[in-house]
Amino acid sequence: MIQISNSIEIACPPQRVFEFVADVNNNPKWMPVQGVQKISEGAVGVGTTFKQEFFLMGARYELFGVLTEFEPHQKIAFSYDSPVFVWKGGYSFEPTANGTRMSAIGNVTLTGPMKMMETMFAPKIRKLINDTAPNLKKILES
């Protein structure tokens, strides 16, 4: 299992940061995914399902996600499942003097033949995920 944790301060109110992150259609703007499609009907909340497309080592994969916690302007938790990994984690949003501190925590578990290479891929996967926070900051502060 690969543990992920990071935080970043974004010069925007928590409501704005939360709403941007909660809209899964924004994921390709700040995450390493190419496409996203909401599967479930209705408002975004616990149980919302969606799929995303991503590429890893030249291969295309579909990543299925479900929101497991949803506390407006405070917390979003999720579970992602793909043919090569499972990622369970979440984001918390805390007001600060200058905006919002967004923290991410989670665990990525490689599956199938990739499982044997988890130790080798851990630094690359951490970097890939940790690079999303600065992307989000740049978008929301511009």
Side-chain angles (χ1 to χ4, degrees), residues 15-62:
Q15 180 176 351
R16 181 162 180 239
V17 178
F18 180 91
E19 288 174 359
F20 187 90
V21 172
D23 182 351
V24 296
N25 292 309
N26 288 326
N27 289 359
K29 296 175 184 174
W30 66 286
M31 292 181 164
V33 296
Q34 283 65 46
V36 63
Q37 176 186 358
K38 187 174 174 237
I39 299 170
S40 57
E41 298 291 323
V44 174
V46 172
T48 295
T49 56
F50 54 96
K51 68 179 178 178
Q52 301 180 124
E53 178 181 71
F54 74 100
F55 291 87
L56 180 66
M57 298 185 324
R60 179 193 163 281
Y61 297 97
E62 282 192 338

Side-chain angles (χ1 to χ4, degrees), residues 62-81:
E62 282 192 338
L63 175 67
F64 291 90
V66 61
L67 297 183
T68 56
E69 291 182 55
F70 193 86
E71 298 174 28
H73 313 134
Q74 295 178 25
K75 184 176 186 180
I76 298 173
F78 53 82
S79 178
Y80 286 124
D81 191 9

Side-chain angles (χ1 to χ4, degrees), residues 4-5 20 36 50-51 59 70 80 109 111 118-119 136 138:
I4 307 294
S5 69
F20 187 90
V36 63
F50 54 96
K51 68 179 178 178
F70 193 86
Y80 286 124
T109 304
T111 58
E118 198 166 79
T119 303
L136 181 63
K138 182 177 177 182

